[in-house]
Amino acid sequence: MTEPDGIDGLALGGSGTEIEALVADMALVLDRCVWSQTMTHASLVTYLVEESYELVDAIESEDAEAMLEELGDVLWQIVFHAEIAARTDGEGFDFDDVARVAREKAERRHPHVFGGESAPTLDDVFRVWSAAKAQEKKDRTSALDGIPSQLPALALADKVLGRAARAGALPPGALGREPGVDAVGRDEESAEQSEDRNTDAVAADEAALGDELLAIVADARRRGLDAERALRGAVHRLSDRVRDAEREERRPSS
């Protein structure tokens, strides 16, 4: 059987590269698979999330063979979205465009690699990376812009707190407790002290924190509450306060 134009030598591993073969295979799947033809960007989200979590599991289990397979599954999802876009009026980009945008961003974010910046230390790398990112995002009106709202609640809370704190936009008393005191009333260590602590001590503290979080979730279940929804609601309320504080800061003084 003769392959369609553009497929020869690719899907069968001929003169083309593996990525070219993968892209060609995806085109063939969308040409011939009636299930795949029903898929949209939105309907594929569930699979993208699932494949991403399976990759995380493989990484955490340090299973190289599983990592290889799951990375391939995530890549297939990216190629799937790109091929749908190539066939959709008003979108019109393909996998090459996705790769180009990723490469251009990588080069912009690494001026110490691709440009004339010098970054011999980790602090220097963070400085030049942050400056490059800030230049890209200069039209944003809030430190919270660009945070994915669908992150799991704990990840969302960490991201919002980190962004707001770095921007100096965390309203006083926003966490409902005195600054420097954690959720169980203990004084927090300074950042300098935390950096000096050894890996075993950090792991022990994270294990204790994990137990505390697990106990909170167990208590929520006993009370018929949804811990994920409760934390997400708290983060949204905090986000509103941060944005209000930012607007107040930008308001011209009379």
Side-chain angles (χ1 to χ4, degrees), residues 37 41 46 50 81 91 139 151 161-162 168-169 198 213 248:
Q37 291 167 1
H41 295 304
T46 298
E50 180 179 340
H81 281 280
E91 294 181 2
D139 294 331
L151 281 173
L161 288 169
N198 63 43
L213 292 171
E248 188 65 27

Side-chain angles (χ1 to χ4, degrees), residues 105-122:
K105 178 180 284 189
E107 292 178 359
R108 289 197 306 273
R109 296 283 179 89
H110 295 80
H112 53 296
V113 175
F114 300 102
E117 290 278 0
S118 174
T121 69
L122 290 177

